[in-house]
Amino acid sequence: MTTVSFPADQGITPPWRDTTLSVADRVDFLLTEMTLEEKVAQLGSRWVGNDMQAERATEPSPMGEPESTFNVAPLQDVFAASGTISLEEASTYGLGHLTRVFGSLPVTVAEGAAELVRQHRVVLADSRLGIPALVHEECLTGFTTFGATVYPAAIAWGATFDADLVERMAAAIGRDMAAVGVHQGLSPVLDVVRDYRWGRVEETMGEDPYLVATLGAAYVRGLQSAGVIATLKHFAGYSASRAARNHAPVSMGRRELLDIILPTFETAMALAGARSVMNSYSDVDGVPAGADPWLLTEVLRDEWGFTGTVVSDYWAVPFLATMHRLAPDAEEAGILALRAGIDVELPDTLGFGQHLVERVRRGEVPESLVNRAARRLLRQKIELGLLDPQWTPEASVSAAAATDLDSPSNRALAREMAERSAVLLDAGPAPPLLHAGRPPPPCVPRVVTCTTRPSAHTPLSQRAHPTTSHSPARAFRTV
């Protein structure tokens, strides 16, 4: 490949940094300039806070395999394997994402900002074209970092039936994240509960697809109004696992998947413009989501017209080998995931590593797949301003010093959410509000069953808006 140099000391601005050009043109210019190694590097990530190390067994395993790794925690060996290289080594040709700089250790805002600048500088030092890494963090109940406001869990949002409140909360979360240089938040959870034994129910907004879709879209609007990319997860079927076991198979046909599970994701894209999706760990009817081109390409891209990025759930790519047994190793698992439609591997690079370069050059993997994924991520980096001439690591955290992650306004929002989510069930004829010596209140709220509850098979477009038929205010009655 022939490359063209644009030395900064000669005052020449490369076309991918020219803000007068369209985003699409800037991406085209950049992809043309990049080597195959540099494009592959954009598909990976590095979690500097992941310092787990695999411990090798000294005794033969029960299966007769010497040198096996004994897991104390489920899939511990996969977690540890990705934490064995330095950031410098991981970003030899550049890097796609930096993982949880603020959320890995209890750091102050100033400490986190300084570490983020340091990591950016490492990545840029190894990037021939000066392409920064995108920074992501968790943010379901607030910016998941030391000292930040913790908002009520998502199941409480569902109890409020208040899309405006959810949007205001998400906007506050997004403003805090953007102020300290974060570009993407790994929320909201749009899983629809199918079995309340599942251990992650509190992360969801409940069992009603319409309610989850409405509040999920509100969260996306709020977070992205602050310039932070929202990530819809877990796409799809994660909450419907067999016997409610985490990571268990999902015994579901396509009709139920299309009627109940997928509408929440489609709504958040159509009504709120969500810019990223995270795949589910589970397999649906025997096909793991992370290796399913029907789900990640045909439905998501071809039918819904989604143009953002698909990021893997943490270690979902190597799990295709170690958990689903679809591939002999992480490298082959990476090829399956890339073909299916995953663009960026999180939180570290195992399946999307430089082995892809050799596979492409041997003709075993089409370079068009690498280009497809790299184009989607580079587009987002340009849209976020990371390739504008004035962007610097220091400027990206310039607002951090003046940012209070647990401000009075944040706390007021958290309190409002908590109060609005409180639901008083029917306490019978003698609720505790009434007892000797206390005057009776003029009205005792009582939740009753809504008579307009739609059938599970009622089309999404025909269901009543939750602020009218499902509002708690309309469910309150006088005892």
Side-chain angles (χ1 to χ4, degrees), residues 46-271:
R46 182 68 184 100
W47 188 4
V48 174
N50 174 24
D51 58 358
M52 294 180 287
Q53 299 294 319
E55 296 180 3
R56 306 300 299 178
T58 57
E59 298 293 333
S61 75
M63 301 300 293
E65 299 175 354
E67 301 299 323
S68 293
T69 300
F70 292 129
N71 286 344
V72 176
L75 304 168
Q76 174 189 346
D77 53 330
V78 178
F79 305 155
S82 63
T84 56
I85 64 173
S86 67
L87 177 59
E88 288 78 2
E89 183 179 353
S91 60
T92 299
Y93 297 101
L95 192 67
H97 274 234
L98 287 171
T99 297
R100 303 203 65 191
V101 178
F102 284 87
S104 300
L105 294 171
V107 295
T108 65
V109 171
E111 291 168 339
E115 175 61 15
L116 179 54
V117 169
R118 185 194 73 81
Q119 292 190 26
H120 271 311
R121 285 299 175 192
V122 171
V123 173
L124 290 173
D126 290 329
S127 176
R128 180 178 63 91
L129 301 174
I131 304 173
L134 190 150
V135 181
H136 76 260
E137 295 281 350
E138 294 280 2
C139 61
L140 181 61
T141 58
F143 183 11
T144 309
T145 188
F146 177 70
T149 303
V150 179
Y151 296 87
I155 196 69
W157 314 348
T160 70
F161 290 79
D162 192 334
D164 176 69
L165 178 57
V166 171
E167 184 171 344
R168 287 191 286 123
M169 177 195 69
I173 295 170
R175 286 192 295 270
D176 286 344
M177 297 174 77
V180 298
V182 177
H183 307 116
Q184 181 165 347
L186 304 186
S187 290
V189 172
L190 298 186
D191 297 313
V192 176
V193 176
R194 304 300 281 165
D195 187 332
Y196 277 95
R197 295 175 298 172
W198 190 54
R200 300 183 68 172
V201 167
E202 79 283 356
E203 297 180 52
T204 76
M205 289 169 266
E207 63 183 352
D208 183 343
Y210 183 76
L211 178 64
V212 175
T214 302
L215 299 185
Y219 186 100
V220 171
R221 283 193 298 270
L223 195 72
Q224 294 192 163
S225 71
V228 175
I229 293 172
T231 310
L232 312 182
K233 61 186 190 183
H234 305 86
F235 192 68
Y238 188 37
S239 57
S241 55
R242 188 181 301 163
R245 294 174 298 147
N246 198 29
H247 290 231
V250 175
S251 301
M252 179 182 291
R254 286 196 176 174
R255 165 143 187 206
E256 185 178 357
L257 189 72
L258 291 166
D259 280 354
I260 305 297
I261 302 299
L262 296 187
T264 59
F265 295 90
E266 184 180 11
T267 301
M269 293 173 195
L271 300 185

